[in-house]
């Protein structure tokens, strides 16, 4: 019998793939979203199936209107329900104001803030039906909180992730009567597929590592473990929160 159904965006690698592995278990069904990297999603799907989970691969550019609703519809059509949505897909844009144009600004908002809104809007009836098992998680970032001279800033990404967190807090209140929880996880600098954070220039790798109190980059599995906790029954009283997993970076 199917225990729970999850949709994870940006699941072909990194945090999304690690989250899928953390949620995989006999009886679980997981829809893995990829924008372009279907081969990566297929590799993750094989790992999950080895853990006893059912899988579905769904594709699309979440910056495009209608994609989020399509992913939700595909997942529900295949598995008959939807209990968990993890909005993880996104990217980091470190261009400073002055170099950042409106097209790039709007691309960040569309791919992260608006995509999270559209996923939540499409999934809301299904999550409400799931009741106390309903979970909506947004993967935010420390860049929406950490601002200091000498620290890399990501203006467009910061705005997009901050918008995601504010929306999550509002939605948490809206969905609380149904028992559905809504939270965000804000990672710090995290390794990406065996290398350091994709937005860190090679020449700054060591410098950035030294600036992290724990002295290293995070691992995708460490972020996924927190997301998995928020998806679990044990986190049923946690909602409207942003959980920071950043090795002690000062915010």
């Amino acid at each position: 019998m199917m225990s729970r159904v999850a949709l994870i965006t940006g699941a072909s690698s990194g945090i999304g793939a690690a989250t899928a592995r953390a949620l995989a278990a006999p009886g679980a069904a997981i829809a893995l979203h990829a924008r372009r990297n279907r081969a990566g999603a297929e590799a993750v799907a094989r790992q999950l199936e080895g853990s006893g989970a059912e899988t579905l691969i769904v594709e699309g550019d979440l910056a495009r209107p209608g994609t989020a609703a399509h992913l939700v519809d595909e997942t529900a059509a295949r598995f008959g329900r939807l209990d968990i949505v993890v909005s993880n897909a996104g990217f980091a844009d470190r261009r400073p104001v002055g170099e950042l144009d409106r097209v790039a600004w709007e691309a960040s908002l569309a791919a992260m803030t608006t995509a999270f809104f559209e996923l939540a809007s499409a999934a809301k009836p299904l999550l409400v039906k799931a009741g106390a098992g309903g979970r909506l998680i947004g993967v935010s970032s420390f860049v929406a909180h950490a601002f200091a001279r000498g620290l890399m800033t990501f203006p467009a990404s910061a705005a997009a992730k901050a918008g995601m967190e504010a929306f999550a807090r509002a939605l948490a209140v809206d969905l609380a009567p149904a028992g559905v929880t809504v939270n965000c996880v804000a990672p710090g600098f995290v390794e990406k597929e065996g290398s350091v954070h994709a937005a860190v220039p090679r020449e700054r790798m060591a410098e950035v590592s030294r600036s992290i109190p724990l002295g290293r980059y995070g691992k995708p599995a460490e972020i996924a473990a927190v997301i998995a906790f928020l998806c679990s029954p044990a986190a049923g009283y946690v909602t409207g929160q942003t959980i920071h997993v950043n090795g002690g970076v000062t915010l």
Side-chain angles (χ1 to χ4, degrees):
M1 180 178 177
M2 202 175 297
S3 58
R4 56 183 180 174
V5 176
L7 166 62
I8 304 169
T9 69
S12 60
S13 64
I15 292 171
T19 299
R21 290 189 286 266
L23 295 180
I30 302 176
L32 304 163
H33 160 261
R35 184 168 67 110
R36 292 197 187 101
N37 186 11
R38 185 177 181 91
E42 289 174 346
V44 175
R46 289 191 292 272
Q47 294 173 342
L48 306 191
E49 289 162 5
S51 297
E54 293 185 54
T55 65
L56 170 69
I57 295 173
V58 290
E59 297 178 273
D61 184 351
L62 282 161
R64 295 182 177 274
T67 298
H70 176 66
L71 301 183
V72 170
D73 289 346
E74 278 196 274
T75 304
R78 170 67 178 275
F79 299 119
R81 56 191 265 205
L82 181 58
D83 306 284
I84 298 166
V85 177
V86 180
S87 181
N88 167 71
F91 58 90
D93 189 334
R94 67 172 182 267
R95 283 174 287 184
V97 175
E99 293 179 20
L100 185 69
D101 60 21
R102 180 164 183 154
V103 172
W105 171 263
E106 291 182 347
S108 287
L109 295 178
M112 290 175 275
T113 315
T114 303
F116 185 46
F117 160 73
E118 291 187 337
L119 281 167
S121 298
K124 180 179 176 180
L126 292 161
L127 295 175
V128 168
K129 188 174 181 179
R135 299 286 188 268
L136 178 60
I137 313 291
V139 178
S140 182
S141 172
F142 78 104
V143 303
H145 300 269
F147 304 97
R149 286 187 179 277
L151 182 69
M152 283 187 293
T153 57
F154 304 74
S157 301
K161 296 298 192 180
M164 172 185 283
E165 292 180 16
F167 176 66
R169 288 195 296 272
L171 189 58
V173 175
D174 182 38
L175 292 179
V180 178
T181 66
V182 185
N183 293 287
C184 287
V185 172
F189 289 103
V190 177
E191 294 177 356
K192 184 174 177 64
E193 298 304 303
S195 63
V196 295
H197 194 288
V200 179
R202 183 170 296 277
E203 64 274 12
R204 296 197 62 182
M205 288 184 196
E207 174 194 349
V208 169
S209 183
R210 287 193 298 270
S211 74
I212 301 167
L214 282 180
R216 64 174 178 85
Y217 293 82
K219 299 181 184 303
E222 293 174 313
I223 313 305
V226 177
I227 296 172
F229 165 71
L230 291 173
C231 292
S232 74
Y237 200 58
V238 181
T239 196
Q241 305 302 308
T242 294
I243 312 298
H244 295 273
V245 191
N246 60 24
V249 170
T250 301
L251 303 176

